[in-house]
Amino acid sequence: MQIMAENIIKTKSFNFALRIVKLQQFLIFDKKEFVLSKLLCS
C-alpha cells in the first residue's frame, strides 16, 4: 500500500512541476512578464 501512495505523490508532484514550467513559459512569451516568471523558479 505504501508503494502505491509514493507513486501518487510522485505523480502529483511531477504534474505540479510541469504546470509551473508551463505557467512560466506563458508569462514570458505571452504576457511578457519577466519578474514574476523568475520568482516562480527561484
Side-chain angles (χ1 to χ4, degrees), residues 5 8 14 17 24-26 28 36 39:
I8 291 171
F14 183 76
Q24 183 190 23
Q25 290 174 347
F26 170 75
I28 291 173
L36 186 61
L39 289 173

Side-chain angles (χ1 to χ4, degrees), residues 23-40:
L23 174 61
Q24 183 190 23
Q25 290 174 347
F26 170 75
L27 288 173
I28 291 173
F29 296 118
D30 292 348
K31 298 295 182 182
K32 306 298 186 216
E33 175 59 52
F34 299 102
V35 176
L36 186 61
S37 66
K38 284 186 180 183
L39 289 173
L40 281 174

